[in-house]
Amino acid sequence: MFTISPTARLRPSPFFDATISEGLAAATVYNRMIMPAHFGDREAEYWRLINGVSMWDVAVERQVQLVGKDAGRLAQILCPRNLATAAVGQGKYAPLCNHRGMLINDPILLKLDEDRYWFSIADSDIWFWAKAIAAERGLDVDISEPDVSPLAVQGPKAEDVIASIFGDWVRSIKYFWFRETDIDGIPVALQRSGWSKQGGFEIYLKDASRGTDLWNIVKEAGKPFDIGPGSPMTPERTESGLVSCGGDTDDNTNPFEVRLGKYIDLDVPDNTIGIGALRRIAADGPKRHQLGLKLEGGSPAPLDFAWEPIYRNGEKVGDMTNCVWSFRLKQNIGYALISCDCAAGDTVELKRKTGIVRASLCELPFV
Ligand code: THG
């Protein structure tokens, strides 16, 4: 259809050459980097994730590193989840909000040391934000982007592939915990994590010059398990109820509306950004919530670039923020960000480009 023109502003991943060799067929842009989207057969890539093992270039999950005496203080100022209990070697899902209590990113926070952290970020410029807040608050912390690029290995056979590379000790790594290690002289951090509910690991490459080497090590170790290239998989993440921050959320979406309230601790210190607003929002009670949508009609019709309005009895009640063909449910499914007056079981109407489509609301996850 078209190609993306290279420019120095658009940083390639260390795995870029490898993904081109694998036959990259489509890409998107995320954190001002190119992110592989698929390799030509979405359905085969989907079933490989569900039944086997898939490897994904997710270097776009860029790291914002905090180092120094006040690194932990800054992490807590940025994040309205209580981080006091995080241990060295532990990762935590750590939604970030602005001063209005609206979501701006949903990183995983890795605590590498008492005074060293990485925010592994979703698609927004948290390094600007972190630097500005640290300067305004006069904190003793250095903020940088380290040479770190995650490679995800996901699916029910991922653990066997990772164990065959690193050893059986990886089997006892707990969810979101990680260890720094190396393989063939390539420095990495290995974490049990990844943006799917099929299980797996992420290998954080710590030397960008070794991207193709690491890709080939995983590819070779995965051969007995029929590994193949893939990417963060919209059908699977939708079936599984994972949130895409910036996709399912906008500038006016708070964490309680998209099922992230369990990661917000209202008793974090008063200097945490957005906590005052979040306490008010929690006290007022939710106005909107996130539900699943099951669309009538058989043909695959994904959401393209924008949210689509949802109506009930002629009145706009919310937006469909995501819509994709589910290979397991064999229907179009999506997410509704919708008035709390609407509940699972209700029928609504979508005004789509193709015309009016009826849909029923359900609880998430679908599977
Ligand atoms: N891996 C790494 N960094 C990332 C992502 C990733 N940064 C951006 C983006 N993805 C962050 N978003 C999420 C969202 C959800 C989860 C992981 C990353 C997730 N959630 C589980 C759930 O919702 O069920 C568990 C969360 C919990 O209970 O702690 O896994 O993929 N490196």
Side-chain angles (χ1 to χ4, degrees), residues 64-67 74 78 126-135 141-145:
V64 177
Q65 177 171 264
L66 318 181
V67 181
L74 177 60
L78 296 172
I126 294 306
W127 42 90
F128 293 156
W129 179 256
K131 282 185 189 196
I133 301 297
V141 56
D142 183 62
I143 296 152
S144 63
E145 180 169 18

Side-chain angles (χ1 to χ4, degrees), residues 24-266:
L24 181 66
T28 183
V29 172
Y30 190 105
N31 274 330
R32 290 178 282 109
M33 293 177 66
I34 299 163
M35 174 159 83
H38 68 81
F39 292 80
D41 188 342
R42 283 178 232 237
E43 181 160 6
E45 290 164 36
Y46 169 87
W47 288 114
R48 194 182 281 132
L49 169 64
I50 302 296
N51 297 322
V53 54
S54 181
M55 57 191 292
W56 308 346
D57 170 4
V58 286
V60 296
E61 288 155 358
R62 294 169 70 155
Q63 310 302 304
V64 177
Q65 177 171 264
L66 318 181
V67 181
K69 178 169 80 55
D70 291 334
R73 274 178 66 197
L74 177 60
Q76 187 67 82
I77 285 168
L78 296 172
C79 174
R81 179 177 185 179
N82 182 359
L83 303 175
T85 57
V88 172
Q90 189 176 14
K92 283 207 177 248
Y93 190 32
L96 307 184
C97 293
N98 65 18
H99 299 77
R100 294 166 48 239
M102 302 301 154
L103 266 174
I104 57 169
N105 204 293
D106 69 333
I108 294 170
L109 179 68
L110 291 84
K111 182 169 179 176
L112 293 125
D113 227 318
E114 289 303 333
D115 61 359
R116 192 159 71 97
Y117 295 79
W118 293 342
F119 278 112
S120 179
I121 62 171
D123 189 10
S124 67
D125 289 329
I126 294 306
W127 42 90
F128 293 156
W129 179 256
K131 282 185 189 196
I133 301 297
E136 293 287 323
R137 308 245 176 146
L139 298 177
D140 181 2
V141 56
D142 183 62
I143 296 152
S144 63
E145 180 169 18
D147 175 0
V148 174
S149 306
L151 176 66
V153 183
Q154 298 287 296
K157 297 179 182 167
E159 184 173 300
D160 289 335
V161 174
I162 294 295
S164 77
I165 299 170
F166 292 96
D168 274 328
W169 61 270
V170 305
R171 298 186 190 278
S172 59
I173 297 182
K174 287 179 285 184
Y175 197 67
F176 278 165
W177 286 69
F178 64 93
R179 192 195 282 186
E180 293 181 273
T181 179
D182 56 77
I183 179 72
D184 279 5
I186 307 173
V188 301
L190 179 68
Q191 183 178 38
R192 190 185 288 275
S193 56
W195 203 55
S196 84
K197 282 294 199 181
Q198 306 313 310
F201 290 80
E202 290 175 299
I203 309 170
Y204 292 69
L205 169 67
K206 296 199 286 185
D207 177 353
S209 74
R210 306 294 305 274
T212 301
D213 295 339
L214 181 61
W215 182 278
N216 288 334
I217 287 169
V218 176
K219 183 179 177 178
E220 200 55 39
K223 272 194 179 140
F225 306 94
D226 200 23
I227 201 169
S231 63
M233 183 64 66
T234 303
E236 190 279 337
R237 79 94 179 170
T238 307
E239 293 166 348
S240 299
L242 290 173
V243 171
S244 172
C245 198
D248 305 324
T249 65
D250 68 4
D251 191 39
N252 289 308
T253 309
N254 70 61
F256 306 110
E257 294 177 313
V258 288
R259 300 174 296 123
L260 299 185
K262 57 178 179 274
Y263 307 110
I264 305 299
D265 293 306
L266 295 175

Side-chain angles (χ1 to χ4, degrees), residues 329-351:
L329 303 177
K330 302 206 167 26
Q331 65 184 147
N332 278 324
I333 59 171
Y335 287 178
L337 184 55
I338 194 163
S339 163
C340 287
D341 295 340
C342 299
D346 290 358
T347 299
V348 292
E349 287 186 337
L350 302 161
K351 285 195 181 160

